[in-house]
Amino acid sequence: SEILLEELDHVGPATAQKLNDAGYNSVEAVAVASPSELVATAEIGESTAAKIISAARSAADIGGFETGDFVMQRRMEVGKLHTGCEEFDELMGGGIETQSITEMYGEFGSGKTQIAHQLAVNTQLPKEMGGLDGSVIIIDTENTFRPERIEQMVAGLSQKFEQDFDPAEFLKNIHVARAYNSNHQILLVDAAMEMANKLKNTDKPVRLVIVDSLTAHFRAEYVGRGTLADRQQKLNKHLHDLQRFGDLNNASVIVTNQVMSKPDAFFGDPTRPIGGHILGHTATFRLYIRKSKGDKRIVKLVDSPCLPDGEAVACITTDGLCD
Ligand code: ADP
Ligand code: MG
């Protein structure tokens, strides 16, 4: 039995409505919010916000500490989404994890959007085929989502699994929104949360959210050093919203980031992901994608919390991602 926001102490019908409108549709969502977020969205005082959060935490049983067995329980629910390329899956310890943010960074044309399309298809497959039996949300900031590409990849899967998948069905489970600027992009995570709540008890709950590109708008809008701290702060909040989305929905979060060439770097790779170290610490898995010969791509896992660094070779073909 789910607890309603209205049932929490200090939450009247008006506040419940405001919280709902702002995308806090469950006790869990309120429990992991920060007081300042609630102050801004629900027009309440700081101390009321703190009391509401504390009430939500006890109701949702989200304390500051959890015992290891509880963490283990949640870890056991972590899904692993197959990429279509075995080497890539092995690199990731079995697939792209749910409840985590995976960042893909690389130059223009390295294949980030292609891999994102493939994951949007694979997520919908049943678990025994490497999927998550779920639907997908895409926040498209560069207008690079292509339904035709999804159709090609579904045809590729039909061949691979020797069964007739219907591309139209796959397209129906992908919810795409264009983000017109960084503020809009941030707000779309709230809309995504609403969508996920709507689909929660259906046979296709949201199991993947893609932000492609995470950084393009931020990069374009915040030029010059003066506004860099402001940009990082917004990006940081955005990533925390996404992490919360992943935790609450047991969903994978994929974000892409285009590298900026750094001509003054004499050693190592002359490219660096933008977003700086904040992005580095927030993304759980970071993948550096680069082009190799022909349709080959090299996927490099960079500082993961529990996996060894390493590389995999994947191919991008008309049928999709493969070995
Ligand atoms: P990024 O998002 O990293 O900028 P993309 O994911 O858009 O890069 O990759 C574009 C590349 O993907 C193309 O240059 C091409 O090599 C490959 N690609 C795109 N569409 C197809 C297709 N239908 N069949 C095969 N390869 C494709
Ligand atoms: Mg792209």
Side-chain angles (χ1 to χ4, degrees):
S1 66
E2 209 173 308
I3 310 157
L4 299 170
L5 288 182
E6 290 91 315
E7 293 172 44
L8 294 176
D9 285 348
H10 314 284
V11 179
T15 304
Q17 188 59 50
K18 278 179 197 153
L19 288 170
N20 252 305
D21 292 346
Y24 299 93
N25 322 61
S26 65
V27 171
E28 285 79 10
V30 173
V32 295
S34 73
S36 57
E37 278 175 56
L38 293 199
V39 168
T41 52
E43 292 157 17
I44 48 175
E46 187 93 24
S47 75
T48 311
K51 282 177 197 157
I52 291 174
I53 290 168
S54 150
R57 285 189 184 165
S58 10
D61 208 8
I62 300 177
F65 294 94
E66 323 179 286
T67 49
D69 58 337
F70 189 82
V71 177
M72 185 63 166
Q73 180 62 42
R74 199 174 55 233
R75 288 290 306 163
M76 277 161 65
E77 283 165 20
V78 166
K80 304 226 178 186
L81 170 60
H82 287 191
T83 62
C85 166
E86 265 180 49
E87 233 180 89
F88 191 170
D89 292 345
E90 275 165 34
L91 181 71
M92 299 299 291
I96 308 275
E97 284 196 356
T98 61
Q99 302 176 29
S100 288
I101 298 177
T102 301
E103 177 198 352
M104 299 194 286
Y105 69 94
E107 278 176 30
F108 175 77
S110 56
K112 304 180 292 295
T113 297
Q114 293 299 311
I115 298 172
H117 276 68
Q118 185 70 62
L119 295 174
V121 170
N122 292 2
T123 296
Q124 302 183 43
L125 290 172
K127 287 179 184 136
E128 57 276 16
M129 290 182 180
L132 299 170
D133 232 338
S135 47
V136 180
I137 288 175
I138 300 181
I139 298 177
D140 182 9
T141 77
E142 298 185 304
N143 196 19
T144 51
F145 174 73
R146 292 291 175 277
E148 309 88 287
R149 195 64 185 111
I150 297 294
E151 287 180 338
Q152 288 177 342
M153 289 174 171
V154 173
L157 282 188
S158 292
Q159 233 169 26
K160 180 174 171 180
F161 290 104
E162 295 178 343
Q163 75 180 68
D164 278 326
F165 290 113
D166 180 4
E169 284 303 312
F170 280 74
L171 286 170
K172 273 186 196 145
N173 293 321
I174 301 176
H175 306 268
V176 190
R178 290 272 320 268
Y180 293 99
N181 55 51
S182 65
N183 280 326
H184 186 208
Q185 182 179 329
I186 290 169
L187 287 174
L188 281 172
V189 181
D190 296 340
M193 197 72 99
E194 266 176 53
M195 170 76 68
N197 282 333
K198 246 185 249 164
L199 296 174
K200 202 153 207 164
N201 298 313
T202 67
D203 62 341
K204 281 277 184 287
V206 177
R207 290 283 184 248
L208 172 66
V209 59
I210 293 166
V211 185
D212 184 16
S213 145
L214 176 78
T215 45
H217 281 316
F218 287 90
R219 185 185 196 176
E221 291 164 29
Y222 293 86
V223 281
R225 286 182 167 269
T227 54
L228 205 60
D230 189 26
R231 179 182 90 180
Q232 290 305 80
Q233 215 166 13
K234 277 201 160 167
L235 202 46
N236 196 25
K237 181 206 179 298
H238 187 38
L239 281 161
H240 279 103
D241 290 349
L242 288 166
Q243 178 66 55
R244 189 174 65 182
F245 184 98
D247 288 346
L248 293 180
N249 296 294
N250 191 19
S252 298
V253 180
I254 300 285
V255 302
T256 70
N257 188 7
Q258 194 180 317
V259 293
M260 164 166 71
S261 81
K262 205 175 161 220
D264 59 335
F266 289 105
F267 302 102
D269 197 301
T271 52
R272 290 280 179 278
I274 70 159
H277 72 275
I278 288 187
L279 193 49
H281 292 307
T282 316
T284 327
F285 299 98
R286 314 192 79 196
L287 297 168
Y288 179 32
I289 318 286
R290 59 189 201 275
K291 253 186 155 156
S292 181
K293 281 201 193 97
D295 56 12
K296 286 196 175 66
R297 298 293 191 281
I298 295 164
V299 181
K300 182 177 185 178
L301 179 65
V302 188
D303 28 81
S304 133
C306 55
L307 293 171
D309 290 1
E311 287 189 345
V313 179
C315 289
I316 296 174
T317 68
T318 304
D319 288 342
L321 203 63
C322 56
D323 293 303

